[in-house]
Amino acid sequence: MTLPQEASAAPVSNPANTPALPDDLILPAAQIFDRPAVREALWAAVAEAADERAVRAATVQLLGRARDEGRAAIAAALALRPFEAAGTTRAYTWITDCLVTLTWEVATERLHRNANPTKGEQIAVIAVGGYGRGEMAPFSDVDLLFLTPYKITAWAESVIESMLYVFWDLKLKVGHSSRTVKDCLRLGAEDYTIRTAMLEHRFLTGNASLAKDLDTRLWKELFNGTAREFVAAKLAERDARHEKQGGQRYVVEPNVKEGKGGLRDLQSLYWIAKYVYHTGDTGKLVSRGVFRPEEYATFVKAETFLWAVRCHLHLLAGRPLEQLTFDMQVSVAEAMGYTDRGGRRAVEIFMQHYFRHATSVGDVTRILLTSLEADHTKDAPLLMRMFKRPPRVREGYEVINNRIAISDDKAFLAAKMNILRLYEEALRTGLLIHPNAMRLVAANLHLIDDDMRNNKEAQRIFLDLMLKHGNPDRALRRMNELGVLSAFIPEFEPIVAMMQFNMYHHYTVDEHIIQCIWHLSELENGARVEELPVATQILRDGINRKVLYTALLLHDIGKGRDEDHSIVGAQIARKVAPRLGLGPKDSATVEWLVRHHLLMSDMAQKRDIADPRTVRDFAKAVQTRERLDLLLVLTVCDIRGVGPNTWNNWKAALLRALYRQTRNGLENGMEALNRERRGTEAKRLLTDALSDWDAKDLRTEKARHYPTYWQGLHVTAHVVFANLLRDLGTDEIRIDIHPDDDRDATRVCFALVDHPGIFSRLAGALALVGANVVDARTYTSKDGFATAAFWIQDADGSPYESTRIPRLRQMISKTLRGEIVAREAIKDKDKIKKRERAFKVPTSITFDNEGSEIYTLIEVDTRDRPGLLYDLTRTLAAHNVYIASAVIATYGEQVVDTFYVKDMFGLKFYSGAKQKSLEKKLRDAIEAGVVRATS
């Protein structure tokens, strides 16, 4: 790294002493801050000032104007050359240097002139921390050390105080300390943060010999001989920082400065290099053999990219924002010149580049730490030191610091299959791979060619990595990080670090796939028996593991294209599966699974599985028990691999129900799924549950409902409604609110006199209390009553706690009685958060008359918001549409609401004209709601 020219104050009377201007800024230094011209204007202004306050005011006004003009010039230049980070960070440093040195001149030459200072009246103004390193973002802190030889004097205190007042009036965020050399040594020995800041000290102005004395004594008395302790402290600090930021490199809203693979990690490398190798230029680590030239080039590219991102982030936010929030990702991508391409949004391409650079930072870090280990400057990992005796390794390998290493690089590379064998040996022994071995592999990826990809032994090793050792995710993640996975399966390369710009997916596509495979291995290891009993039993009973693992590996490989990723993925799987050693039959099954990997999830979450047609249609698509078993396990792993809180009991219950009904139909014939059988069984269960009821009352209850009521609800709900309807008056509204623990939701049951728009009124009442509806169904009885069951969750996706249910009941009752008008009251609650407004979901509305025997299905796929369901149901009610049930599937900011409806005559919507009219009304309601939610 090349630092800016050191700045020092020249006597006003002798401008010739001014140091040469730096020549490595984004613009010529004089165009950013013309120090001689500003100095001349400054002295003209302060000469007329009557007192200290006036001097400060004139200084602040003039320096502030020059600073603002300089910052505007830098921002304009960066907009034209958005990746020129190094020149930009040095340019901001140059402005700060000018502000500090000119303020020093005013403080010492005008405000507190001291013609004959004593030895104790000396000050060296020193930049420390990032400012000392010469790297500043637009709103970086200004960290200063005011160094004095002895205890601070009254004159020195006055100078420092006057300077700080000017800085504060300039709105600079200044971190400052006043210390002697002895203080610096003592505090640096006690606190590694202080020691690190002083490692990056840079003399600005004042007494140069005092600054030089500090530098000499820091290295002689503090830094030298303490490298091991410093490295250990920095690595511990890094680990704690990563943990705080989420511990993942692929956090969806990464912190550019503090996150894993961010700038602080690069700065840690700089600190360690300077402390251990005594150089502030990381480029010299190439000549020392620490980095290969291509590795150092990767380091520079990552550093340049991350600094550019940080600078744009500060400028767009107008403040020191370090986190790439969703809304800022879009803005930064645009500022850096990214555009939509090939079916992908600009922001997704930008974030893929971000994550790839973050991975590069991890690679560079690993290389440096290995070099330090070899020099015994860093301890081997604690976990490795705990092994008393390392496992025995096969010929060609050795164990170094309890990690598997390559004995002879030349012999290893002579057989290209050894690249895969290395991962096999690492899994077999349980050892981590030595970074030097990883470097060798990364530098020789060209050996993985078509000949190797089609080699049966290579295919066996690769499949064994997934099937044989019990922790396939570990091998796949390491292979992915080094590029081996993409080299062996070139079709995988486009999805590496591919970000999906939505609130649903927590990981990049490649990491999601590896997470899915980890979840499958956990299932196989019996770690989820209680949570996932059906999937666990399928695996225990025996399943084609080769097909399942391969399908999971390839299920999202088609993402990032214009076409449906399931179709593209199936086409890719058709080529890749045979290349991985699968036979024609297994390859065909993998292709089918990739093509239909969303089918079961969609059927369970977007359709009413109580409707026999849903199950029959699904069974026709699946056709065999083998496919059903494979698809269930794949679906479970796929959903669980999306993110830590995506899976819940609601989804589990839906998938289990769909699986069991479909399996029943496949094994016992589709007639087992008909409505009559379901109705008869439901009435028998109700009779058993209400054994204490009078026979006449029981007959009345069983006779008052239409067949759809009996097939659509569990017996527990039938019992609740029977009690709610018993002796219900025409002016009464009865409500039962009960936790449905099996589904991670709260079930709200209503019983009241039926009237048009009842579904919409109930949806409005629930929206007002902030409830998220995940499923709902209404039924009209033969004697004119409405029964409605809504399953709801709170804002966190959890059932309502028992302490909140009384207020929930009260608010719902008030709304239904008309004491609160939902349409007006909901306006304040129906808002989309600012950081989430960057997400755009195109609205799609479809009508399906084949998905149910009785109803038309209206599927609305659009941007989710709190009042959406109310707006949609109110629109449908206003056009005399009867809503029998609604199935709601939420995917982050996207929601799919599926309504099972009839017209006012009890018929399906067959007319194209009616469908178009209704679609327009729904779209109008959605657009009006979005305007309201974002205003």
Side-chain angles (χ1 to χ4, degrees):
M1 297 178 186
T2 304
L3 300 181
Q5 298 289 328
E6 292 185 347
S8 60
V12 178
S13 59
N14 188 8
N17 289 343
T18 303
L21 298 178
D23 60 0
D24 53 359
L25 312 185
I26 194 169
L27 289 171
Q31 290 184 30
I32 297 170
F33 197 109
D34 188 346
R35 185 162 54 184
V38 174
R39 174 191 281 116
E40 185 177 343
L42 177 62
W43 281 97
V46 300
E48 300 175 1
D51 55 21
E52 181 175 346
R53 184 185 294 270
V55 170
R56 283 210 318 263
T59 302
V60 168
Q61 183 182 23
L62 202 143
L63 292 183
R65 185 169 62 248
R67 184 266 317 272
D68 293 344
E69 290 171 355
R71 289 172 61 85
I74 296 171
L78 183 63
L80 293 174
R81 302 190 294 280
F83 286 88
E84 196 165 326
T88 300
T89 58
R90 288 193 283 264
Y92 284 115
T93 302
W94 165 247
I95 289 179
T96 309
D97 284 353
C98 292
L99 295 177
V100 172
T101 54
L102 290 175
T103 301
W104 162 265
E105 290 184 21
V106 171
T108 56
E109 297 284 339
R110 177 66 172 83
L111 293 176
H112 308 288
R113 189 172 180 82
N114 188 349
N116 297 300
T118 65
K119 190 176 180 181
E121 291 177 324
Q122 301 289 343
I123 306 174
V125 184
I126 297 172
V128 294
Y131 177 36
R133 191 170 58 251
E135 290 181 331
M136 295 191 79
F139 293 96
S140 289
D141 294 354
V142 179
D143 294 323
L144 292 172
L145 168 64
F146 295 100
L147 189 67
T148 56
Y150 312 114
K151 184 178 179 182
I152 193 165
T153 65
W155 173 82
E157 193 168 337
S158 297
V159 169
I160 295 168
E161 185 180 78
S162 294
M163 290 182 71
L164 290 175
Y165 275 130
V166 172
F167 296 152
W168 292 333
D169 288 345
L170 285 169
K171 303 295 189 290
L172 296 180
K173 190 177 179 184
V174 180
H176 66 94
S177 57
S178 303
R179 295 175 184 146
T180 64
V181 173
K182 192 176 289 186
D183 291 336
C184 292
L185 293 170
R186 177 177 54 82
L187 293 169
E190 297 171 355
D191 189 316
Y192 281 103
T193 302
I194 295 173
R195 190 186 305 194
T196 304
M198 289 191 297
L199 178 67
E200 302 181 300
H201 68 276
R202 180 169 60 92
F203 173 67
L204 293 174
T205 189
N207 191 297
S209 62
L210 187 58
K212 188 172 183 180
D213 182 45
L214 173 67
D215 183 71
T216 302
R217 293 185 63 184
L218 280 174
W219 282 104
K220 184 178 180 181
E221 301 177 33
L222 184 60
F223 298 160
N224 287 340
T226 59
R228 182 186 287 267
E229 294 88 337
F230 181 79
V231 170
K234 288 293 106 182
L235 295 182
E237 182 184 285
R238 181 198 64 172
D239 292 343
R241 186 176 69 250
H242 289 173
E243 189 67 29
K244 185 178 180 182
Q245 292 296 324
Q248 290 277 348
R249 187 172 288 117
Y250 299 135
V251 175
V252 289
E253 293 183 298
N255 189 302
V256 180
K257 183 180 178 184
E258 304 288 350
K260 192 170 186 179
L263 280 167
R264 188 67 84 197
D265 283 359
L266 283 176
Q267 288 161 1
S268 296
L269 290 184
Y270 173 83
W271 296 328
I272 291 170
K274 188 167 186 179
Y275 207 103
V276 175
Y277 299 105
H278 295 206
T279 177
D281 183 359
T282 49
K284 292 182 179 177
L285 298 183
V286 176
S287 59
R288 288 174 177 259
V290 176
F291 293 130
R292 293 189 176 107
E294 66 273 16
E295 292 167 344
Y296 180 67
T298 299
F299 172 90
V300 172
K301 285 179 184 176
E303 181 185 40
T304 300
F305 182 87
L306 292 172
W307 266 112
V309 170
R310 190 182 182 207
C311 287
H312 286 292
L313 192 55
H314 278 212
L315 288 171
L316 288 164
R319 59 189 179 89
L321 179 67
E322 309 298 352
Q323 188 171 21
L324 262 176
T325 54
F326 292 128
D327 54 331
M328 295 308 294
Q329 288 172 17
V330 176
S331 301
V332 172
E334 183 180 354
M336 294 182 71
Y338 285 88
T339 56
D340 296 352
R341 190 171 71 244
R344 298 179 63 201
R345 292 185 62 182
V347 64
E348 294 177 328
I349 300 169
F350 160 65
M351 289 304 295
Q352 183 173 31
H353 289 176
Y354 178 91
F355 288 128
R356 288 191 172 188
H357 283 300
T359 302
S360 298
V361 173
D363 295 340
V364 172
T365 303
R366 186 170 57 241
I367 291 164
L368 177 62
L369 298 185
T370 305
S371 176
L372 295 175
E373 256 179 35
D375 295 339
H376 305 291
T377 310
K378 173 190 172 291
D379 292 327
L382 176 61
L383 181 63
M384 297 298 102
R385 299 201 304 272
M386 290 169 64
F387 282 111
K388 292 182 180 178
R389 182 181 299 171
R392 300 180 71 175
V393 293
R394 292 187 172 127
E395 186 180 351
Y397 303 103
E398 59 184 325
V399 179
I400 299 176
N401 286 329
N402 281 298
R403 286 182 287 200
I404 189 167
I406 295 163
S407 303
D408 183 333
D409 290 359
K410 190 174 180 180
F412 178 85
L413 295 174
K416 52 193 173 187
M417 217 69 67
N418 284 336
I419 292 176
L420 289 179
R421 290 193 184 111
L422 172 65
Y423 291 95
E424 184 178 43
E425 186 68 2
L427 282 190
R428 187 189 70 80
T429 58
L431 291 171
L432 297 174
I433 298 174
H434 195 279
N436 282 343
M438 296 167 77
R439 290 175 77 185
L440 185 68
V441 168
N444 291 278
L445 292 177
H446 61 277
L447 295 177
I448 303 176
D449 54 13
D450 284 340
D451 178 60
M452 179 174 169
R453 294 181 195 108
N454 291 299
N455 184 286
K456 290 189 180 300
E457 175 66 4
Q459 295 165 356
R460 179 200 64 77
I461 295 171
F462 183 81
L463 287 176
D464 280 355
L465 290 174
M466 291 196 292
L467 300 172
K468 191 173 178 181
H469 301 284
N471 48 359
D473 56 293
R474 184 173 139 195
L476 290 174
R477 188 171 284 110
R478 289 288 167 82
M479 293 172 75
N480 190 37
E481 287 177 355
L482 291 186
V484 174
L485 190 54
S486 295
F488 193 68
I489 306 175
E491 295 85 352
F492 199 86
E493 200 279 334
I495 63 171
V496 173
M498 179 185 283
M499 184 249 200
Q500 301 169 86
F501 190 66
N502 55 53
M503 292 165 58
Y504 180 61
H505 292 94
H506 292 238
Y507 305 112
T508 54
V509 179
D510 55 334
E511 179 62 20
H512 161 69
I513 286 173
I514 294 171
Q515 289 281 337
C516 292
I517 286 176
W518 175 76
H519 281 290
L520 177 54
S521 69
E522 286 283 283
L523 271 173
E524 284 199 305
N525 293 336
R528 299 287 181 266
V529 177
E530 291 186 11
E531 191 180 356
L532 302 167
V534 178
T536 301
Q537 192 59 49
I538 288 172
L539 291 169
R540 284 180 175 173
D541 289 345
I543 197 168
N544 192 325
R545 298 175 65 240
K546 188 189 297 186
V547 164
L548 187 54
Y549 272 99
T550 305
L552 262 184
L553 180 68
L554 303 178
H555 79 278
D556 274 348
I557 203 166
K559 285 201 166 177
R561 324 287 176 97
D562 280 327
E563 307 96 321
D564 183 329
H565 81 277
S566 299
I567 296 173
V568 176
Q571 293 167 352
I572 293 172
R574 188 183 306 157
K575 294 187 296 182
V576 174
R579 205 167 68 222
L580 293 179
L582 276 70
K585 182 183 176 185
D586 286 351
S587 294
T589 305
V590 168
E591 181 184 343
W592 185 89
L593 285 169
V594 173
R595 173 65 183 87
H596 298 286
H597 73 270
L598 295 175
L599 176 63
M600 193 168 195
S601 173
D602 285 348
M603 280 291 193
Q605 296 185 75
K606 298 179 185 178
R607 292 292 180 265
D608 184 358
I609 57 176
D611 189 323
R613 175 65 71 87
T614 299
V615 181
R616 281 204 295 270
D617 288 349
F618 179 63
K620 285 178 184 177
V622 174
Q623 295 184 340
T624 68
R625 166 75 188 280
E626 180 195 15
R627 280 182 176 179
L628 177 65
D629 288 348
L630 287 165
L631 189 56
L632 174 71
V633 178
L634 185 146
T635 302
V636 168
C637 295
D638 189 15
I639 296 174
R640 291 175 71 86
V642 167
N645 300 313
T646 306
W647 180 263
N648 54 32
N649 283 347
W650 178 260
K651 290 170 184 169
L654 291 175
L655 288 170
R656 274 198 296 267
L658 179 58
Y659 172 81
R660 284 170 176 156
Q661 291 180 51
T662 307
R663 179 175 166 179
N664 183 27
L666 290 172
E667 292 179 343
N668 301 313
M670 294 303 172
E671 64 276 3
L673 305 175
N674 68 41
R675 294 175 185 277
E676 290 73 17
R677 290 186 60 169
R678 283 191 182 186
T680 302
E681 178 65 11
K683 289 176 183 179
R684 184 188 66 77
L685 292 172
L686 181 66
T687 301
D688 293 343
L690 299 179
S691 56
D692 57 336
W693 271 41
D694 177 77
K696 182 182 177 184
D697 289 345
L698 191 55
R699 281 196 303 273
T700 300
E701 174 59 25
K702 288 194 289 186
R704 76 194 316 166
H705 299 290
Y706 293 103
T708 52
Y709 173 85
W710 297 109
Q711 75 182 40
L713 295 170
H714 190 267
V715 66
T716 53
H718 289 149
V719 170
V720 168
F721 281 124
N723 286 304
L724 291 177
L725 288 167
R726 200 174 191 181
D727 303 321
L728 179 65
T730 55
D731 57 349
E732 278 188 275
I733 300 173
R734 290 183 182 173
I735 304 172
D736 176 88
I737 304 178
H738 195 78
D740 191 339
D741 295 330
D742 289 341
R743 298 191 175 195
D744 271 347
T746 299
R747 188 187 64 207
V748 185
C749 293
F750 303 91
L752 64 165
V753 170
D754 189 28
H755 58 79
I758 187 70
F759 196 107
S760 178
R761 279 185 65 191
L762 299 176
L766 293 168
L768 277 179
V769 296
N772 292 321
V773 178
V774 292
D775 197 2
R777 52 202 67 218
T778 60
Y779 305 95
T780 301
S781 67
K782 296 174 184 176
D783 51 352
F785 288 99
T787 51
F790 283 73
W791 282 265
I792 61 174
Q793 295 174 335
D794 64 16
D796 297 322
S798 303
Y800 278 81
E801 296 176 1
S802 56
T803 55
R804 298 174 64 189
I805 286 179
R807 183 178 177 277
L808 189 67
R809 183 191 303 275
Q810 183 185 31
M811 283 295 294
I812 292 171
S813 298
K814 281 185 177 181
T815 306
L816 293 178
R817 289 198 301 267
E819 296 175 26
I820 299 173
V821 181
R823 187 172 182 177
E824 295 302 318
I826 205 170
K827 289 180 180 178
D828 292 334
K829 295 180 179 292
D830 189 16
K831 297 293 179 185
I832 298 174
K833 295 175 183 176
K834 183 176 180 295
R835 61 178 276 273
E836 297 174 1
R837 292 179 186 177
F839 296 109
K840 309 297 181 188
V841 179
T843 296
S844 169
I845 299 175
T846 58
F847 290 76
D848 177 8
N849 283 307
E850 302 301 322
S852 173
E853 295 172 352
I854 302 173
Y855 304 106
T856 293
L857 278 62
I858 303 178
E859 183 178 283
V860 181
D861 185 339
T862 190
R863 177 70 163 85
D864 195 18
R865 54 184 171 80
L868 175 67
L869 183 63
Y870 174 61
D871 284 348
L872 295 177
T873 54
R874 186 163 52 85
T875 301
L876 292 173
H879 293 81
N880 301 312
V881 177
Y882 168 72
I883 304 170
S885 64
V887 181
I888 293 91
T890 305
Y891 307 91
E893 77 283 0
Q894 179 185 5
V895 67
V896 180
D897 290 349
T898 305
F899 301 98
Y900 284 67
V901 302
K902 295 178 181 178
D903 67 13
M904 60 191 299
F905 303 109
L907 303 175
K908 290 185 178 184
F909 285 87
Y910 283 111
S911 164
K914 280 187 179 181
Q915 290 181 8
K916 286 183 179 178
S917 173
L918 203 50
E919 179 179 349
K920 183 179 185 306
K921 298 296 183 184
L922 289 170
R923 286 186 180 275
D924 290 345
I926 290 168
E927 289 172 15
V930 169
V931 171
R932 183 176 69 238
T934 54
S935 61

